[in-house]
Structures are given as C-alpha cells and as structure tokens.
Amino acid sequence: MTMIPYGRQSIDDADIEAVTSVLRGDWLTQGPAIDRFEEAVAEYVGARHAVAFSSGTSALHGAAAAAGLGPGDVVHTTPLTFMASANCARYVGARPALIDIDEATLNLDVRAVDNTVDALVPVHYAGLPVDLTALPHRPRVVIEDAAHALGAWTPDGPVGNCAHSEMTCFSFHPVKPITTAEGGMVTTNNDELADRLRKFRSHGIRRHPEKGGWYYDVENVGYHYRMTDVQAALGLSQLGRLDRFIEDRNRLADRYREVLADLPLRLPPAAPDGVRHGYHLFVIRVADRAHVFEALRARGVFVQVHYVPVHHHSVSIDVLLPTSGVRVTDRVYEEIISLPLYPGLTEEGQDTVVRVLDEVLS
Ligand SMILES: *Cc1c(COP(=O)(O)O)cnc(C)c1O
C-alpha cells in the first residue's frame, strides 16, 4: 500500500546542486547565500526588508519582540492555527487572546476586530489571505502569520508586502510553500524594525568597525536564531519554482472541487476575485470526522487535521476568549480534514485519494 501524505516537499536536481555548491564553498553559515535569499524574498513579495530566521516560530518571536510587545500587552489571533501563532505573545510575556473564525473564509473574523484590539496576528489559513482591508479598526501592531501563504496574492499585491501590517512572517518547513528544511523569514517596510529583527536573531549584537574590526557591542538580550547558508541556498533555488508550485496547487485544488462536488462533504472556501489562493491546505468538512480520518489513514491516505484549536490545549489556560465565545471554531473543528495537496501530487495520486474518500463516505 502506498502512503499519500497530506503535504511534502518538492526537491529537484537544481536544489541539490545549490546545496552541494555551498557545502563545497567557504561559508556554511553567515555567508553570501543568506543575503541573496533575503533580497530575493523581499523582491518577490515587494517589501523593503526580509530577515531570515531559523524557523517560522523564531521569526514570529522576533516580530513580537521587534514590535515591542511585552508584559501587559494582549495579542489577538485565530483559534484555528498552530500554537506558534499564540506562543509568539507568550515568548515576550504578553497574553494571547482569540477572535472566532468566519465560517465563510475559516480565517479570523475581521469584523470582530474592534477598537479594543491593540495587537493582531492574523493567520492566512490554508493559504487564503485574510482581508485586512476589511478591518473596522487598524490595530497598533499587525503581524501577519503567513506560514501558509508565501505566493498568495491580495488585490494589494503579494502577501508579505506589508501593505496593511508592520511585519509578515513565513515558514520554510518542508510542507510549506517552499522549504529550507527548517527556516523562516520576516518581511517589513520599516527600517527600524528590520534593524531590531537582525539584532534579535543574532545575540543582540551590533558591530562597531570604527572602534576596531573586532569590536561589537551586545546591546540587548538576543537569541541565536540564524539560518545557515546551506538552507538559504536551498530556499533561493526553491523560490525560483514558487510560482509553478502555487499554480500546481491551484490546478489540483480546482480538480478536487470538480471531482468531489457530488460527495457528501463541504469544500473549502475559494479565493474571491483578485486573490490568488496559496492552497497550502485543502480542508474539507465531513460529518463523521473521526471515522473518515481513521478509515482514510488505514487505506494509505495520510490526512491530517489543521488544527486542534489553540484554546483546547493545556498550555492555553492563560488565553483570553471573546465574551461571545469561539463557537464557530469549535463547530468547524469537529468536521475538518486536510486532504493531500502538494506540487508533486500526481493526478493518479489524487484520483486514488478521491476513490478512497468516495468508498469511505458511502
Ligand atoms: C508552520 C507554522 C508555523 C511555524 O513554523 P515553523 O517553521 O514550523 O516554526 C507558525 N504558524 C503557522 C500557522 C504554521 O503553519
């Protein structure tokens, strides 16, 4: 029985060549590949700066710290996300809070962002951009968690251009739109934030060549959150194929929509006009999720659930819930399953998923 995962990387000979050429060169870390990868991502998304990190999680930590968030601050995000979206508040001593999702998009309900919301981490769930132009109130700090959405577009341009945010964070984990094995990036148009991000990822160090070539000052507590040149070379090579990856994901998603149309399930929200969906995930909704999940896995279709909501976890005893609750999230969570979707998924592989799903549902 072949196993079809819900997501996986696409690595070609050019990626392998890019990595091996770094391994044969002088710098394994802190060399020229990082600068090139950062410049290429900044250019791709149309942001002034891009700062590479060791993971999407450390990128979010860096963004929360650079924004000056800390004790006393409340940071709102969606319940339907990976814990890192909420943890970036905890890392800096701030408190996470939740806003329920909108059933029409599965993103946090932007209409609920009132003038009590000071800091917001919107997540472009499954690769469908949150419509930040619809916010009734612009929070003081907006940090986009775009771990799913490199390559997605809004009517205001690529996700990551920070048209309506201070910073945007990306992840390059193998299942994400492009990979560096592990890695992340923060984009911003703000010079001061970019400077803080660079210091934060490297021990709080600022160099002072005027005091000698060796001299540096540790200005504040920083971390070691750097990406290596090996990873950056892989990322740069992958970035060259990003548009093809997103086109493949969209083609496969359109095909799912056609062939699944008559099955007893709900299809995911589609992109409105002027938006390019990233399709990191293809999330269907079914009535008997536990049965469907186990039956698909038993037949080699390695589906996943994205996500166990933030407030369901033990760590979330500190999380602030809206007075109206998060009922939409709790209801939707009971039904969601992510079907296999990735650039290397063949139409035959997809047909297998559909045939097995049909069997399981009937
Ligand atoms: C993957 C992911 C992250 C964390 O990225 P890592 O690179 O795994 O640290 C954060 N937020 C969301 C929504 C993610 O899917």
Side-chain angles (χ1 to χ4, degrees):
M1 185 175 74
T2 53
M3 202 270 283
I4 303 177
Y6 84 86
R8 67 159 290 154
Q9 69 276 15
S10 169
I11 299 292
D12 71 2
D13 289 342
D15 294 331
I16 293 166
E17 174 54 37
V19 168
T20 52
S21 70
V22 171
L23 291 173
R24 289 196 191 90
D26 293 329
W27 287 277
L28 293 187
T29 191
Q30 293 179 276
I34 293 285
D35 291 343
R36 285 207 296 271
F37 184 39
E38 289 181 339
E39 281 162 23
V41 170
E43 192 188 353
Y44 183 90
V45 302
R48 185 146 31 162
H49 304 280
V51 182
F53 277 80
S54 55
S55 70
T57 302
S58 58
L60 281 161
H61 184 184
L69 296 172
D73 288 317
V74 174
V75 183
H76 285 78
T77 190
T78 171
L80 198 60
T81 188
F82 186 57
M83 191 57 79
S85 315
N87 273 346
C88 68
R90 296 186 175 113
Y91 295 152
V92 296
R95 188 151 184 201
L98 300 177
I99 293 170
D100 204 2
I101 61 170
D102 175 358
E103 195 156 5
T105 63
L106 305 185
N107 279 319
L108 71 79
D109 189 347
V110 285
R111 295 164 302 188
V113 178
D114 62 23
N115 60 11
T116 65
V117 175
D118 178 56
L120 186 68
V121 178
V123 178
H124 306 299
Y125 178 79
L128 180 62
V130 179
D131 183 6
L132 297 173
T133 64
L135 290 174
H137 155 76
R138 169 63 157 92
R140 182 175 60 91
V141 175
V142 178
I143 298 168
E144 296 173 66
D145 181 342
H148 300 183
L150 183 63
W153 292 65
T154 78
D156 291 328
V159 169
N161 70 358
C162 303
H164 307 285
S165 67
E166 275 60 50
M167 288 169 275
T168 303
C169 299
F170 297 101
S171 164
F172 307 126
H173 176 276
V175 297
K176 304 289 165 77
I178 62 169
T179 190
T180 60
E182 299 284 4
M185 190 81 80
V186 184
T187 58
T188 183
N189 296 316
N190 182 306
D191 299 346
E192 169 83 31
L193 291 174
D195 183 62
R196 285 187 213 155
L197 288 162
R198 289 184 192 287
K199 274 201 308 168
F200 184 86
R201 75 159 173 204
S202 198
H203 310 284
I205 284 175
R206 187 184 302 285
R207 302 206 166 270
H208 287 279
E210 74 283 3
K211 294 185 183 174
W214 69 91
Y215 196 84
Y216 64 88
D217 180 32
V218 177
E219 295 185 344
N220 40 39
V221 177
Y223 292 78
H224 178 172
Y225 277 165
R226 293 190 304 263
M227 180 182 281
T228 66
D229 271 47
V230 181
Q231 292 168 301
L234 175 56
L236 187 60
S237 176
Q238 289 258 303
L239 188 65
R241 297 213 306 295
L242 173 60
D243 283 323
R244 241 179 305 153
F245 289 163
I246 301 293
E247 282 158 23
D248 285 348
R249 287 176 178 279
N250 273 273
R251 177 178 50 77
L252 290 162
D254 289 347
R255 201 162 172 270
Y256 266 141
R257 287 184 187 283
E258 272 170 40
V259 295
L260 298 177
D262 296 328
L263 296 191
L265 54 82
R266 286 176 72 167
L267 292 167
D273 284 346
V275 169
R276 180 163 86 165
H277 202 311
Y279 278 115
H280 166 57
L281 300 173
F282 193 86
V283 180
I284 59 164
R285 292 169 61 183
V286 294
D288 191 356
R289 194 262 309 277
H291 164 71
V292 175
F293 181 94
E294 299 300 345
L296 286 172
R297 283 208 169 183
R299 290 165 174 77
V301 178
F302 210 77
V303 289
Q304 189 51 280
V305 172
H306 297 95
Y307 294 89
V308 177
V310 166
H311 58 290
H312 290 206
H313 293 273
S314 304
V315 71
S316 291
I317 44 171
D318 61 343
V319 89
L320 293 166
L321 292 168
T323 46
S324 51
V326 285
R327 285 183 303 252
V328 182
T329 303
D330 286 332
R331 181 157 42 77
V332 166
Y333 164 61
E334 293 298 328
E335 301 177 353
I336 50 176
I337 288 191
S338 305
L339 295 184
L341 182 66
Y342 48 93
L345 179 63
T346 61
E347 295 194 351
E348 297 74 59
Q350 189 179 32
D351 289 341
T352 303
V353 173
V354 172
R355 182 176 41 75
V356 171
L357 184 61
D358 192 8
E359 273 168 35
V360 166
L361 287 172
S362 56

mmCIF file of all heavy atoms in Angstrom, residues 55-57 60 81-82 84-85 123 145 147-148 171 173 176 183 307, ligand 1:
data_model
loop_
_atom_site.group_PDB
_atom_site.id
_atom_site.type_symbol
_atom_site.label_atom_id
_atom_site.label_comp_id
_atom_site.label_asym_id
_atom_site.label_seq_id
_atom_site.Cartn_x
_atom_site.Cartn_y
_atom_site.Cartn_z
ATOM 1 N N SER A 55 13.509 29.426 11.890
ATOM 2 C CA SER A 55 12.212 28.753 11.729
ATOM 3 C C SER A 55 11.115 29.814 11.638
ATOM 4 O O SER A 55 11.352 30.999 11.940
ATOM 5 C CB SER A 55 11.919 27.827 12.924
ATOM 6 O OG SER A 55 11.670 28.586 14.090
ATOM 7 N N GLY A 56 9.926 29.386 11.268
ATOM 8 C CA GLY A 56 8.789 30.295 11.286
ATOM 9 C C GLY A 56 8.468 30.739 12.705
ATOM 10 O O GLY A 56 8.045 31.877 12.940
ATOM 11 N N THR A 57 8.695 29.839 13.651
ATOM 12 C CA THR A 57 8.417 30.149 15.054
ATOM 13 C C THR A 57 9.374 31.212 15.590
ATOM 14 O O THR A 57 8.937 32.168 16.256
ATOM 15 C CB THR A 57 8.517 28.856 15.896
ATOM 16 O OG1 THR A 57 7.598 27.900 15.365
ATOM 17 C CG2 THR A 57 8.205 29.114 17.358
ATOM 18 N N LEU A 60 8.372 34.543 14.199
ATOM 19 C CA LEU A 60 7.250 35.140 14.941
ATOM 20 C C LEU A 60 7.720 35.716 16.276
ATOM 21 O O LEU A 60 7.281 36.799 16.684
ATOM 22 C CB LEU A 60 6.159 34.087 15.192
ATOM 23 C CG LEU A 60 5.237 33.788 14.010
ATOM 24 C CD1 LEU A 60 4.533 32.443 14.194
ATOM 25 C CD2 LEU A 60 4.206 34.909 13.833
ATOM 26 N N THR A 81 -5.290 27.616 14.389
ATOM 27 C CA THR A 81 -3.913 27.787 13.933
ATOM 28 C C THR A 81 -2.983 26.914 14.738
ATOM 29 O O THR A 81 -3.380 26.297 15.737
ATOM 30 C CB THR A 81 -3.479 29.267 14.031
ATOM 31 O OG1 THR A 81 -2.188 29.420 13.404
ATOM 32 C CG2 THR A 81 -3.371 29.744 15.481
ATOM 33 N N PHE A 82 -1.736 26.880 14.309
ATOM 34 C CA PHE A 82 -0.672 26.203 15.038
ATOM 35 C C PHE A 82 -0.305 27.066 16.249
ATOM 36 O O PHE A 82 -0.370 28.290 16.176
ATOM 37 C CB PHE A 82 0.525 26.037 14.105
ATOM 38 C CG PHE A 82 1.649 25.228 14.668
ATOM 39 C CD1 PHE A 82 1.432 23.926 15.102
ATOM 40 C CD2 PHE A 82 2.924 25.754 14.745
ATOM 41 C CE1 PHE A 82 2.487 23.177 15.607
ATOM 42 C CE2 PHE A 82 3.972 25.009 15.252
ATOM 43 C CZ PHE A 82 3.758 23.723 15.685
ATOM 44 N N ALA A 84 2.230 28.189 17.544
ATOM 45 C CA ALA A 84 3.258 29.237 17.408
ATOM 46 C C ALA A 84 2.635 30.621 17.204
ATOM 47 O O ALA A 84 3.210 31.622 17.654
ATOM 48 C CB ALA A 84 4.192 28.910 16.246
ATOM 49 N N SER A 85 1.459 30.688 16.574
ATOM 50 C CA SER A 85 0.806 31.990 16.347
ATOM 51 C C SER A 85 0.443 32.665 17.667
ATOM 52 O O SER A 85 0.467 33.887 17.777
ATOM 53 C CB SER A 85 -0.476 31.834 15.517
ATOM 54 O OG SER A 85 -0.294 30.989 14.418
ATOM 55 N N VAL A 123 -3.712 35.006 10.673
ATOM 56 C CA VAL A 123 -3.105 33.847 10.013
ATOM 57 C C VAL A 123 -3.844 33.633 8.692
ATOM 58 O O VAL A 123 -5.070 33.538 8.689
ATOM 59 C CB VAL A 123 -3.243 32.591 10.896
ATOM 60 C CG1 VAL A 123 -2.657 31.363 10.192
ATOM 61 C CG2 VAL A 123 -2.574 32.805 12.254
ATOM 62 N N ASP A 145 0.875 36.204 10.210
ATOM 63 C CA ASP A 145 1.448 34.856 10.204
ATOM 64 C C ASP A 145 1.105 34.261 8.841
ATOM 65 O O ASP A 145 -0.011 33.776 8.624
ATOM 66 C CB ASP A 145 0.879 34.015 11.341
ATOM 67 C CG ASP A 145 1.478 32.602 11.359
ATOM 68 O OD1 ASP A 145 2.033 32.181 10.335
ATOM 69 O OD2 ASP A 145 1.353 31.929 12.400
ATOM 70 N N ALA A 147 2.691 31.755 7.336
ATOM 71 C CA ALA A 147 3.363 30.449 7.190
ATOM 72 C C ALA A 147 2.753 29.624 6.049
ATOM 73 O O ALA A 147 3.442 28.824 5.428
ATOM 74 C CB ALA A 147 3.280 29.673 8.506
ATOM 75 N N HIS A 148 1.465 29.865 5.753
ATOM 76 C CA HIS A 148 0.775 29.097 4.700
ATOM 77 C C HIS A 148 0.741 29.838 3.366
ATOM 78 O O HIS A 148 0.194 29.309 2.411
ATOM 79 C CB HIS A 148 -0.693 28.848 5.097
ATOM 80 C CG HIS A 148 -0.880 28.076 6.349
ATOM 81 N ND1 HIS A 148 -2.128 27.721 6.822
ATOM 82 C CD2 HIS A 148 0.002 27.576 7.241
ATOM 83 C CE1 HIS A 148 -1.998 27.047 7.953
ATOM 84 N NE2 HIS A 148 -0.717 26.965 8.235
ATOM 85 N N SER A 171 7.224 30.602 7.036
ATOM 86 C CA SER A 171 7.891 29.370 7.468
ATOM 87 C C SER A 171 8.342 28.605 6.233
ATOM 88 O O SER A 171 7.631 28.573 5.218
ATOM 89 C CB SER A 171 6.926 28.495 8.270
ATOM 90 O OG SER A 171 7.436 27.169 8.376
ATOM 91 N N HIS A 173 9.309 25.246 6.559
ATOM 92 C CA HIS A 173 9.234 23.820 6.909
ATOM 93 C C HIS A 173 8.865 23.036 5.639
ATOM 94 O O HIS A 173 8.213 23.581 4.743
ATOM 95 C CB HIS A 173 8.152 23.664 8.011
ATOM 96 C CG HIS A 173 7.903 22.258 8.412
ATOM 97 N ND1 HIS A 173 7.046 21.426 7.716
ATOM 98 C CD2 HIS A 173 8.406 21.519 9.425
ATOM 99 C CE1 HIS A 173 7.039 20.234 8.302
ATOM 100 N NE2 HIS A 173 7.848 20.275 9.338
ATOM 101 N N LYS A 176 5.521 23.491 3.810
ATOM 102 C CA LYS A 176 5.103 24.863 3.496
ATOM 103 C C LYS A 176 5.401 25.203 2.017
ATOM 104 O O LYS A 176 5.997 24.392 1.317
ATOM 105 C CB LYS A 176 5.772 25.830 4.466
ATOM 106 C CG LYS A 176 5.491 25.519 5.955
ATOM 107 C CD LYS A 176 4.052 25.811 6.362
ATOM 108 C CE LYS A 176 3.660 25.174 7.689
ATOM 109 N NZ LYS A 176 4.139 25.835 8.898
ATOM 110 N N GLY A 183 13.272 26.754 8.600
ATOM 111 C CA GLY A 183 13.630 28.135 8.313
ATOM 112 C C GLY A 183 12.424 29.039 8.357
ATOM 113 O O GLY A 183 11.285 28.567 8.379
ATOM 114 N N TYR A 307 -6.581 22.735 12.712
ATOM 115 C CA TYR A 307 -5.709 22.330 13.800
ATOM 116 C C TYR A 307 -6.576 21.958 14.991
ATOM 117 O O TYR A 307 -7.743 22.332 15.032
ATOM 118 C CB TYR A 307 -4.817 23.507 14.222
ATOM 119 C CG TYR A 307 -3.829 23.926 13.154
ATOM 120 C CD1 TYR A 307 -4.188 24.874 12.204
ATOM 121 C CD2 TYR A 307 -2.558 23.368 13.106
ATOM 122 C CE1 TYR A 307 -3.278 25.250 11.218
ATOM 123 C CE2 TYR A 307 -1.648 23.760 12.125
ATOM 124 C CZ TYR A 307 -2.019 24.684 11.180
ATOM 125 O OH TYR A 307 -1.144 25.052 10.205
HETATM 126 C C1 LIG B 1 4.222 26.055 10.367
HETATM 127 C C2 LIG B 1 3.582 27.166 11.061
HETATM 128 C C3 LIG B 1 4.258 27.991 11.986
HETATM 129 C C4 LIG B 1 5.641 27.672 12.500
HETATM 130 O O1 LIG B 1 6.604 27.493 11.534
HETATM 131 P P1 LIG B 1 7.879 26.592 11.858
HETATM 132 O O2 LIG B 1 8.791 26.911 10.700
HETATM 133 O O3 LIG B 1 7.434 25.168 11.879
HETATM 134 O O4 LIG B 1 8.462 27.041 13.148
HETATM 135 C C5 LIG B 1 3.606 29.078 12.505
HETATM 136 N N1 LIG B 1 2.331 29.353 12.187
HETATM 137 C C6 LIG B 1 1.634 28.584 11.346
HETATM 138 C C7 LIG B 1 0.231 28.957 11.007
HETATM 139 C C8 LIG B 1 2.223 27.453 10.769
HETATM 140 O O5 LIG B 1 1.511 26.663 9.952
#
